[in-house]
């Protein structure tokens, strides 16, 4: 019986992170952090609560996606 060439030498499997999942998860965690900061942080004078909720949610979601993207790139280089 003949064997396939290379079947005796297992190949190394590269495990790259799923960038979309990292970015989405980071944005979601950041959005939740923005909601928590809005709920328990000091009230902003002159702005409605819904406005600060939206601003903080967007800012923290962007920062969360950025941090998650950096982590994904570092994990990708490591693999």
């Amino acid at each position: 019986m003949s064997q396939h060439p290379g079947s005796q030498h297992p190949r190394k499997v590269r495990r790259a992170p799923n960038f979309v999942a990292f970015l989405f998860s980071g944005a979601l965690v950041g959005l939740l952090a923005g909601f928590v900061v809005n709920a328990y942080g000091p009230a902003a004078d002159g702005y409605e609560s819904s406005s600060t909720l939206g601003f903080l949610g967007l800012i923290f979601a962007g920062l969360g996606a950025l941090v998650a993207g950096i982590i994904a790139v570092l994990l990708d280089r490591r693999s």
Side-chain angles (χ1 to χ4, degrees):
M1 298 181 96
S2 65
Q3 294 181 356
H4 296 288
S7 64
Q8 296 175 2
H9 304 288
R11 289 188 277 168
K12 183 178 178 182
V13 177
R14 182 174 179 267
R15 299 198 39 130
N18 185 350
F19 284 93
V20 174
F22 265 84
L23 293 175
F24 182 75
S25 299
L28 186 62
V29 169
L31 184 66
L32 292 174
F35 289 166
V36 169
V37 168
N38 182 52
Y40 296 111
D45 291 335
Y47 295 103
E48 293 181 17
S49 178
S50 61
S51 296
T52 57
L53 178 65
F55 290 136
L56 288 175
L58 284 175
I59 291 169
F60 277 79
L63 290 174
L66 178 67
V67 169
I70 291 170
I71 292 171
V73 167
L74 292 176
L75 288 174
D76 186 44
R77 287 187 182 194
R78 185 176 158 192
S79 67

